[in-house]
Amino acid sequence: MIVTFPHMGTLSIVLKSLFSQLGCQVLVPPPMTRHTMELGTQFSPETVCLPFKMTLGNFMEALEQGADTIVTCGGCGPCRLGYYAAVQQKILAERGYRFTMIAIEPNLIHVYKQLKYFAPQKSWREIYHAFRLAGAKMNLLDDIQRELAVIRPREMKSGSAERVWRQTVTAVDLAESCQSVQAIRAELLEKLQAIELAQGVSPLRVAVVGEIYVMLEPFINQNLEQCLAGMGVETSKTMLLSDYVRGHLLRRRSYVEMFKQLSAMAAPYLGHYVGGHGLKSIAYTILKKQQDYDGIIQVYPFTCMPEVIAKNILPKVSQDVDMPVLTLAYDEQTGEAGIRTRLEAFVDLLRYRSKPAAARV
């Protein structure tokens, strides 16, 4: 059995650790490129969303290299994510690939049961320790990302934060125990503290809301965070991988309570769940205004139904709470120059708004 899975930000590092610890041979798909996108697009339904096409491209590249078992996510609710596995399995089978596909539902009991398929000889204790190490890696990667989002627009020497991030990815990927992850954490925090920052700089603060795949995958969002940092903007993603796992998989109480609060905030505009993160996009626009953010960027794959609903509501929310909102929809036709131009115009607007009224000319 050679296990593979799709890319989504740092997800491949976490899943590689989990399945390796379970004793599986792992084949991480090649890094995402234009070829991956073209491959997935060629064999996908035309109007399906970009994550479907990109993950299909991941699977095809991995199967070509020898993988024979695909692990992917299931889902329920209005979002089309719940259909991905069944449709992709049919497409791949029609293309002549021979493989097994395991769709894991966002339910902890279902996850444990499916993992027994991969590691029938492992004890529950050993499976727990595999989970624990993968979780430690996920948490460290997300913690460092949060720190870097603050540092990037303030660094004196451009690229310093990015070098630490590359070191983080390599070190975490190679870590073989929770103790070594802890040691890496201390070492990386020292490196972050050593980055020289510009004094007296007060970057604009922008929160990123929207669909998780586009938010977390830099190849798809065209390195949105780094691009904004280069314009002097501090970004805050409203969901990282660890947030998704704690909220949707582990259903931690703090996340359940937070969702109730967000639902109450969004209720005047959207009174029910619409799938994906559409409701949260509405609520976070209100919440981030209360937290003195300067603007909101909504990102989503073109034709994403939950975020299209949110997009059509956000102009009213933006007007009511006086919060600028920029919406960016991504598909295989999205050009880098067009996205950059829209970001520059949005940042200019935020910078103008941040000036005292008397200084606005």
Side-chain angles (χ1 to χ4, degrees), residues 313-354:
I313 296 172
L314 279 173
K316 174 63 175 168
V317 181
S318 170
Q319 184 179 36
D320 287 355
V321 303
D322 189 30
M323 177 62 117
V325 177
L326 172 67
T327 292
L328 298 174
Y330 294 81
D331 67 7
E332 62 273 22
Q333 307 293 335
T334 302
E336 187 176 340
I339 293 290
R340 185 171 183 85
T341 300
R342 295 185 67 192
L343 289 174
E344 287 174 344
F346 187 61
V347 171
D348 282 347
L349 168 70
L350 299 185
R351 198 155 279 133
Y352 176 79
R353 282 171 50 96
S354 69

Side-chain angles (χ1 to χ4, degrees), residues 83-206:
Y83 297 104
Y84 275 21
V87 179
Q88 289 175 330
Q89 187 172 19
K90 188 172 188 299
I91 291 171
L92 293 170
E94 288 176 350
R95 297 299 306 164
Y97 293 107
R98 300 183 66 181
F99 64 96
T100 301
M101 179 175 276
I102 306 295
I104 296 181
E105 301 296 333
N107 175 299
L108 196 55
I109 295 174
H110 186 260
V111 171
Y112 274 117
K113 286 181 178 176
Q114 290 290 31
L115 289 180
K116 261 297 185 184
Y117 169 85
F118 294 96
Q121 306 303 322
K122 297 283 185 183
S123 66
W124 287 114
R125 181 182 176 84
E126 289 171 315
I127 292 175
Y128 167 75
H129 281 294
F131 252 102
R132 192 159 169 258
L133 176 57
K137 291 186 176 188
M138 174 184 70
N139 293 336
L140 177 54
L141 288 164
D142 283 359
D143 289 346
I144 298 297
Q145 284 192 79
R146 291 188 186 94
E147 294 288 335
L148 289 174
V150 176
I151 291 172
R152 279 196 184 99
R154 295 173 170 85
E155 63 184 2
M156 281 288 288
K157 190 175 180 181
S158 178
S160 303
E162 203 53 37
R163 275 193 292 280
V164 174
W165 175 241
R166 286 196 295 269
Q167 293 168 7
T168 300
V169 170
T170 302
V172 172
D173 189 26
L174 295 175
E176 294 183 345
S177 68
C178 289
Q179 290 76 14
S180 57
V181 172
Q182 280 301 107
I184 291 168
R185 177 184 290 273
E187 183 184 335
L188 290 171
L189 289 176
E190 279 185 20
K191 289 183 178 179
L192 290 176
Q193 290 172 358
I195 295 176
E196 190 177 1
L197 304 182
Q199 300 299 312
V201 173
S202 182
L204 295 167
R205 294 201 305 157
V206 168

